[in-house]
Amino acid sequence: MALMSIDHDIAASAELLTECNARINGATLGDSTRNRVSAALLHLSLEHHGAIHLLISNLTPHYGSAFALLRPQFEGFVRGVWFHRCASEQELSKFIKGGEPPKIDELMQAIETVPGYEEGLLKSTKQNVWRIMCGYAHGGSVQVASRMSATEIAGNYTEQQVRELISLVCPITLLVSVAFAQLLDNDTMANEFLSIYQRLFP
């Protein structure tokens, strides 16, 4: 991401989300249960981005809650792709009836056998940021340290932390959007998402 102001980053994040939602909302999926489950999870991931944006751009920001949504945003993407490209009919049926999918490591291992995902990007992402994602989501030490000072308890998140959050959220949204285009078998849409992202985050 280019070294610009935090206001620029927040505006770019908002525009990316707007452009992606404009193309995805209302898309026709047909009656495939697999596609509908996958699309719902991918759409949920986009909604988490929207919530993160609202929480960090509010006049009274709620940074801790925004950071806590990073892990569910990532998990929504992983689950959405797995149900579309990897899950068996039995696993799909079990989930619809209220069961849980496999653990995230198993999901990513399966996804990385799918064309387009073999580079190990998901695995490296998890290795690099999963621990901090969990810490933010579950009230780990990073959340505690970000709201403590010598004399009081108050939000004390730095501008750099918020910019790092945006730098993680937006690539996930790109991955989600491209996965949605693949779900629709729409290469033109996938290329549009890539072009939008490259324009906003050169």
Side-chain angles (χ1 to χ4, degrees), residues 74-75 78 102-109 126 130:
F74 181 69
E75 286 183 308
V78 171
K103 300 297 184 184
I104 192 165
D105 284 335
E106 295 177 56
L107 302 185
M108 292 193 299
Q109 185 177 3
K126 183 174 183 293
W130 183 251

Side-chain angles (χ1 to χ4, degrees), residues 56-196:
I56 66 176
S57 59
N58 201 318
L59 288 175
T60 305
H62 298 283
Y63 292 128
S65 297
F67 278 94
L69 287 172
L70 180 60
R71 174 178 162 173
Q73 186 208 14
F74 181 69
E75 286 183 308
F77 161 67
V78 171
R79 287 185 174 193
V81 173
W82 183 77
F83 275 112
H84 178 217
R85 307 293 291 274
C86 305
S88 68
E89 291 299 324
Q90 182 179 6
E91 288 167 325
L92 180 63
S93 177
K94 177 184 174 183
F95 179 72
I96 292 169
K97 293 174 182 176
E100 288 293 319
K103 300 297 184 184
I104 192 165
D105 284 335
E106 295 177 56
L107 302 185
M108 292 193 299
Q109 185 177 3
I111 291 170
E112 290 187 336
T113 66
V114 172
Y117 291 98
E118 309 99 318
E119 298 88 351
L121 175 63
L122 296 181
K123 184 178 180 181
S124 64
T125 298
K126 183 174 183 293
Q127 287 174 338
N128 292 333
V129 298
W130 183 251
R131 184 174 180 183
I132 196 166
M133 282 183 181
C134 294
Y136 280 125
H138 300 306
S141 60
V142 66
Q143 285 278 33
V144 172
S146 296
R147 57 187 64 245
M148 287 180 63
S149 70
T151 59
E152 63 180 1
I153 299 295
N156 192 31
Y157 296 84
T158 67
E159 181 174 299
Q160 183 59 33
Q161 282 178 293
V162 177
R163 297 189 73 186
E164 287 173 355
L165 173 63
I166 296 170
S167 76
L168 293 169
V169 168
C170 290
I172 295 172
T173 288
L174 173 61
L175 291 172
V176 166
S177 301
V178 170
F180 206 106
Q182 292 171 341
L183 185 67
L184 299 173
D185 196 22
N186 191 331
D187 291 339
T188 299
M189 182 186 285
N191 289 329
E192 287 178 359
F193 290 137
L194 289 168
S195 295
I196 292 164

Side-chain angles (χ1 to χ4, degrees), residues 35-57:
N35 285 4
R36 290 161 70 89
V37 168
S38 176
L41 288 162
L42 295 172
H43 193 263
L44 175 63
S45 182
L46 284 179
E47 187 172 301
H48 286 321
H49 181 167
I52 289 168
H53 176 76
L54 288 173
L55 289 165
I56 66 176
S57 59

